[in-house]
Amino acid sequence: MEWRIPLSDIDFGPEEKQAVNDVLQSKWLTMGSVTQQFEQAFAAYVGAKHAIAVTNATAALHLACVAAGLGPGDEAIVPSLTFVATANAVRYTGASPVFADIGGEQDLNISYHSIEKAITKRTRAILVMHYGGYACDMPSIVELAREHDLKLIEDAAHAVGSELDGRKLGTWGDMGCFSFFSNKNMTTGEGGMIVTNDDKYSERLHLLRSHGMTTLTWDRHKGHAWSYDVVDLGYNYRIDEIRAALGLVQLGKLAVNNEHRRRLTHMYREAFQELAPEITVPFAQHAGISAAHLMPVLLPENSNKSSFMENMKGQGIQTSFHYPPIHTFTAYERSRDRNSLPITETVAEREVTLPLYPTLPDDNVLVVVEAVTHALGSS
Ligand SMILES: *Cc1c(COP(=O)(O)O)cnc(C)c1O
């Protein structure tokens, strides 16, 4: 279907084509100098000591959970209002995700108090997810993790370029995981990155990314090594040079594009205040600088969300829903009864995500908001 206004769009130009062409011409297609450049540029951008590029953010989260030492019998506290990958990553290791609730209708992030309540003798880690690029309460959560000797992993898939107290998200915990999937703020198609300031984690993550091998094809190509040992049970979570090249170009555009996203978000807020105050726009009092990945709004209580979205579709405007809570999925039946998540459930019922991307024309914000007021009448 041709949308009048789609949910998201990619900012690609001749620079991306050129970068990909250069790689194809070089005939070195996987994990070489372009990947190293991408990792160095990304580490410098977020202010982390190490950045390790991987296949996607799900692989990044999995490796972070392995490096954090999670395994059978362990528990990791995670939000339920996130993409299923956050919790799946915990389960891949044999550990159990334990869900914590969000803050409220203004704060869709996992809450400090709910995390604190979920801690048991088995808890080994906390995974936070910065919803829409808006920072979780990191100063308090870092302190809580320290007090209870828990590893802290950030799912920063929405938060590339976000900051809190002058520090980039993804660098607050032990490890931070980023996604470069097609609908994220910067994209390589599929792709991800793990950042850490810890040398030991970095060393382990490098090994785990490529079968636990002590040297890479690249090192051998460069004449740095002849053979290798396998010292750990690793995976093939490597990125390729084509994606790394896209990532380098996209990283260069990120700051300006995130600024556009924030400006459009501000316009949405003002327009809703004026034209549809019955719509709740979360994160009004948010601290820090958001990457403004998503434009979430909450419909009035007891609205019919599916007829609302159907009406928006009829007006040619694509909307989405972030997220069906993980604890309501069939594959998560067994973790359902542990803690009740009343705020997650009521907020998720009302949440709708509106179009937001850097190239969205300014006057389309008003078109969307007017379409929302129209659709509200029929829901
Ligand atoms: C997109 C996303 C992921 C997964 O990213 P992939 O790169 O597609 O594996 C994980 N967590 C959140 C919150 C996401 O939005």
Side-chain angles (χ1 to χ4, degrees), residues 88-360:
N88 280 351
V90 172
R91 284 180 68 183
Y92 297 154
T93 69
S96 305
V98 172
F99 294 107
D101 213 346
I102 58 171
E105 58 170 41
Q106 273 301 322
D107 179 10
L108 310 191
N109 283 322
I110 192 168
S111 86
Y112 173 88
H113 293 292
S114 184
I115 297 172
E116 195 178 29
K117 273 203 316 212
I119 295 175
T120 70
K121 286 203 304 286
R122 290 171 169 241
T123 310
R124 295 285 173 272
I126 303 167
L127 279 80
V128 299
M129 193 282 278
H130 306 290
Y131 185 109
Y134 298 90
C136 296
D137 180 7
M138 294 315 284
S140 313
I141 295 171
V142 166
E143 194 49 43
L144 183 66
R146 192 173 296 143
E147 270 168 31
H148 292 266
D149 195 22
L150 305 175
K151 305 290 190 243
L152 180 55
I153 297 169
E154 294 174 79
D155 179 340
H158 296 186
V160 63
S162 292
E163 291 181 31
L164 181 64
D165 301 342
R167 191 165 151 193
K168 288 278 194 304
L169 300 187
T171 66
W172 285 77
D174 293 291
M175 287 167 273
C177 302
F178 296 88
S179 173
F180 310 131
F181 184 65
S182 333
N183 61 8
K184 300 303 202 290
N185 286 31
M186 56 174 276
T187 183
T188 62
E190 297 278 356
M193 190 77 79
I194 317 177
V195 302
T196 184
N197 287 319
D198 183 298
D199 297 343
K200 288 238 153 50
Y201 284 135
S202 169
E203 197 182 324
R204 184 95 197 278
L205 292 166
H206 277 98
L207 282 172
L208 290 170
R209 171 175 63 178
S210 195
H211 298 292
M213 288 161 66
T214 50
T215 69
L216 301 171
T217 313
W218 177 247
D219 301 317
R220 295 191 294 279
H221 174 74
K222 286 275 163 191
H224 298 325
W226 300 107
S227 185
Y228 57 85
D229 189 12
V230 171
V231 295
D232 205 340
L233 177 64
Y235 308 86
N236 176 0
Y237 283 169
R238 295 184 298 262
I239 197 167
D240 58 65
E241 294 280 276
I242 302 161
R243 289 180 171 81
L246 283 174
L248 262 175
V249 178
Q250 287 273 292
L251 181 61
K253 298 178 172 180
L254 182 71
V256 169
N257 279 343
N258 281 356
E259 189 57 45
H260 284 311
R261 289 171 174 276
R262 284 190 288 272
R263 196 174 48 79
L264 291 161
T265 301
H266 183 70
M267 291 172 59
Y268 265 120
R269 276 185 199 288
E270 303 227 300
F272 276 118
Q273 218 157 44
E274 195 172 318
L275 301 173
E278 65 272 41
I279 291 282
T280 302
V281 186
F283 300 111
Q285 306 300 324
H286 174 260
I289 302 172
S290 174
H293 172 56
L294 297 176
M295 187 63 227
V297 297
L298 307 186
L299 303 183
E301 281 172 57
N302 304 317
S303 304
N304 183 336
K305 184 157 79 174
S306 47
S307 53
F308 174 87
M309 290 173 79
E310 196 56 42
N311 188 295
M312 291 295 281
K313 182 179 168 189
Q315 300 184 69
I317 296 168
Q318 189 181 17
T319 60
S320 182
F321 167 24
H322 294 86
Y323 290 91
I326 299 175
H327 71 283
T328 64
F329 291 139
T330 306
Y332 277 84
E333 248 164 1
R334 287 177 54 204
S335 34
R336 201 168 290 169
D337 41 2
R338 177 69 179 276
N339 300 309
S340 69
L341 305 167
I343 310 174
T344 294
E345 287 174 12
T346 52
V347 164
E349 254 168 50
R350 296 167 55 199
E351 196 277 336
V352 174
T353 305
L354 301 175
L356 180 64
Y357 45 92
T359 53
L360 180 73

